[in-house]
Amino acid sequence: DAGVIQSPRHEVTEMGQEVTLRCKPISGHDYLFWYRQTMMRGLELLIYFNNNVPIDDSGMPEDRFSAKMPNASFSTLKIQPSEPRDSAVYFCASSQGLRGANVLTFGAGSRLTVL
Amino acid sequence: QKEVEQDPGPLSVPEGAIVSLNCTYSNSAFQYFMWYRQYSRKGPELLMYTYSSGNKEDGRFTAQVDKSSKYISLFIRDSQPSDSATYLCAPPDFGNEKLTFGTGTRLTIIP
């Protein structure tokens, strides 16, 4: 298996532009997570899905952020409009959701810079 | 108060030294504890996990849990330059499947 695949790996954009990050989870994994990592705040959970259904989006910072999972093999995280404070590394992770031993497999991340 | 707290470091030690990385948590409901390792410009990956108090050994790595004081430790023996990474602790919430990570401790092993 190729693991969790994220694209793009790097994105530089200007404030106000729309940003779309993409993720392909590991086949057979029922859970998909979006995390954001910054030096100041560490790794923060934004939203997670179970069987393509959003379960907890309490970590989504603002209405500018939205996430979708139209099918089991694809998810997007969209920021519209983007702001400089959104600059971070965004990770997608997937898991089989084994209760109490939920091992997440992370993608390589998408590094976003908003100028 | 954050659910999981770690000293962010950075921590630099010479090769061969014993490293101690620590994590405290506030939610007494946490039953399982995981350590993830993250190399520079990579995603985190599971290093080891334990689901009880006491020690668990895996090669040069030992995870220790003290539930009475809500304190988790990771020890690295005979540290190597390849151990240079950020180490994150993550106690899974038994009520759901999401993981809350500590901020991580950045470790550098100096050859």
Short mmCIF file of all heavy atoms in Angstrom, two decimals, chain B residues 3 17-18 24 43 49 52 56 59 61 73 75 77 82 93 96 103 109:
data_model
loop_
_atom_site.label_atom_id
_atom_site.label_comp_id
_atom_site.label_asym_id
_atom_site.label_seq_id
_atom_site.Cartn_x
_atom_site.Cartn_y
_atom_site.Cartn_z
N GLU B 3 -5.21 19.15 27.67
CA GLU B 3 -5.35 17.76 28.12
C GLU B 3 -4.00 17.05 28.19
O GLU B 3 -3.82 16.15 29.01
CB GLU B 3 -6.28 17.01 27.17
CG GLU B 3 -7.75 17.30 27.41
CD GLU B 3 -8.65 16.32 26.71
OE1 GLU B 3 -8.45 16.10 25.50
OE2 GLU B 3 -9.54 15.77 27.36
N ALA B 17 23.84 8.65 25.09
CA ALA B 17 23.22 9.03 26.37
C ALA B 17 21.83 8.42 26.50
O ALA B 17 21.22 8.00 25.51
CB ALA B 17 23.14 10.55 26.47
N ILE B 18 21.34 8.37 27.73
CA ILE B 18 19.95 7.97 27.98
C ILE B 18 19.09 9.24 27.93
O ILE B 18 19.40 10.24 28.57
CB ILE B 18 19.80 7.30 29.35
CG1 ILE B 18 20.60 5.99 29.38
CG2 ILE B 18 18.34 7.02 29.66
CD1 ILE B 18 20.63 5.32 30.74
N THR B 24 2.53 14.95 30.63
CA THR B 24 1.52 14.89 31.67
C THR B 24 0.15 15.05 31.03
O THR B 24 0.01 15.66 29.97
CB THR B 24 1.71 16.00 32.72
OG1 THR B 24 1.67 17.28 32.07
CG2 THR B 24 3.04 15.86 33.44
N GLY B 43 5.31 13.07 8.30
CA GLY B 43 4.19 12.91 9.20
C GLY B 43 4.59 12.08 10.41
O GLY B 43 5.54 11.30 10.35
N TYR B 49 3.03 1.86 22.02
CA TYR B 49 1.94 2.24 22.89
C TYR B 49 1.80 1.24 24.02
O TYR B 49 2.23 0.09 23.92
CB TYR B 49 0.63 2.42 22.13
CG TYR B 49 -0.11 1.17 21.73
CD1 TYR B 49 -1.04 0.58 22.57
CD2 TYR B 49 0.10 0.59 20.49
CE1 TYR B 49 -1.74 -0.54 22.19
CE2 TYR B 49 -0.59 -0.52 20.10
CZ TYR B 49 -1.52 -1.09 20.95
OH TYR B 49 -2.21 -2.21 20.56
N SER B 52 -1.33 0.12 30.12
CA SER B 52 -1.39 -0.18 31.55
C SER B 52 -0.36 0.67 32.25
O SER B 52 0.50 1.29 31.64
CB SER B 52 -1.11 -1.66 31.81
OG SER B 52 0.19 -1.99 31.35
N LYS B 56 6.86 -0.65 29.58
CA LYS B 56 6.83 -1.51 28.40
C LYS B 56 8.10 -1.25 27.61
O LYS B 56 8.43 -0.10 27.33
CB LYS B 56 5.61 -1.22 27.53
CG LYS B 56 5.56 -2.09 26.27
CD LYS B 56 4.33 -1.80 25.46
CE LYS B 56 4.32 -2.65 24.19
NZ LYS B 56 3.12 -2.40 23.37
N GLY B 59 13.03 -2.82 22.37
CA GLY B 59 14.40 -2.51 21.95
C GLY B 59 15.02 -1.49 22.87
O GLY B 59 15.05 -1.66 24.09
N PHE B 61 13.84 1.38 23.48
CA PHE B 61 12.80 2.29 23.96
C PHE B 61 12.02 1.65 25.10
O PHE B 61 11.67 0.48 25.05
CB PHE B 61 11.85 2.66 22.82
CG PHE B 61 12.51 3.40 21.70
CD1 PHE B 61 13.13 2.72 20.66
CD2 PHE B 61 12.53 4.78 21.68
CE1 PHE B 61 13.75 3.40 19.62
CE2 PHE B 61 13.14 5.48 20.65
CZ PHE B 61 13.75 4.79 19.63
N SER B 73 6.30 8.66 30.54
CA SER B 73 7.69 8.87 30.15
C SER B 73 8.09 7.94 29.02
O SER B 73 7.56 6.82 28.91
CB SER B 73 8.61 8.63 31.35
OG SER B 73 8.34 9.53 32.40
N PHE B 75 11.79 6.53 27.57
CA PHE B 75 13.24 6.49 27.74
C PHE B 75 13.88 5.89 26.50
O PHE B 75 13.38 4.89 25.96
CB PHE B 75 13.62 5.67 28.97
CG PHE B 75 13.09 6.23 30.26
CD1 PHE B 75 11.91 5.74 30.80
CD2 PHE B 75 13.74 7.25 30.92
CE1 PHE B 75 11.40 6.25 31.99
CE2 PHE B 75 13.25 7.77 32.11
CZ PHE B 75 12.07 7.27 32.64
N ARG B 77 17.49 4.38 25.36
CA ARG B 77 18.85 3.98 25.78
C ARG B 77 19.78 4.03 24.57
O ARG B 77 19.35 3.86 23.42
CB ARG B 77 18.83 2.57 26.34
CG ARG B 77 18.09 2.40 27.64
CD ARG B 77 18.33 0.98 28.19
NE ARG B 77 17.95 -0.04 27.21
CZ ARG B 77 16.72 -0.45 27.03
NH1 ARG B 77 15.72 0.08 27.71
NH2 ARG B 77 16.45 -1.39 26.14
N SER B 82 20.07 8.87 14.60
CA SER B 82 18.81 8.59 13.90
C SER B 82 17.59 8.75 14.79
O SER B 82 16.46 8.73 14.30
CB SER B 82 18.84 7.17 13.33
OG SER B 82 19.02 6.23 14.37
N ASP B 93 -8.59 8.74 23.54
CA ASP B 93 -9.82 8.90 24.31
C ASP B 93 -10.67 7.66 24.07
O ASP B 93 -11.09 7.40 22.95
CB ASP B 93 -10.55 10.16 23.83
CG ASP B 93 -11.77 10.47 24.67
OD1 ASP B 93 -12.27 9.56 25.36
OD2 ASP B 93 -12.23 11.62 24.63
N ASN B 96 -14.07 7.85 22.12
CA ASN B 96 -14.17 8.00 20.67
C ASN B 96 -12.81 7.67 20.07
O ASN B 96 -11.94 7.17 20.77
CB ASN B 96 -14.61 9.42 20.30
CG ASN B 96 -13.69 10.47 20.88
OD1 ASN B 96 -12.49 10.46 20.63
ND2 ASN B 96 -14.22 11.37 21.68
N THR B 103 2.25 18.77 22.47
CA THR B 103 2.92 19.65 21.51
C THR B 103 4.20 19.04 20.97
O THR B 103 4.72 19.49 19.96
CB THR B 103 3.25 21.01 22.15
OG1 THR B 103 3.92 20.79 23.38
CG2 THR B 103 1.98 21.80 22.40
N ILE B 109 20.18 14.32 18.77
CA ILE B 109 21.28 13.51 19.29
C ILE B 109 22.55 13.96 18.57
O ILE B 109 22.64 13.85 17.34
CB ILE B 109 21.04 12.01 19.07
CG1 ILE B 109 19.68 11.60 19.64
CG2 ILE B 109 22.18 11.20 19.69
CD1 ILE B 109 19.53 11.81 21.12
#
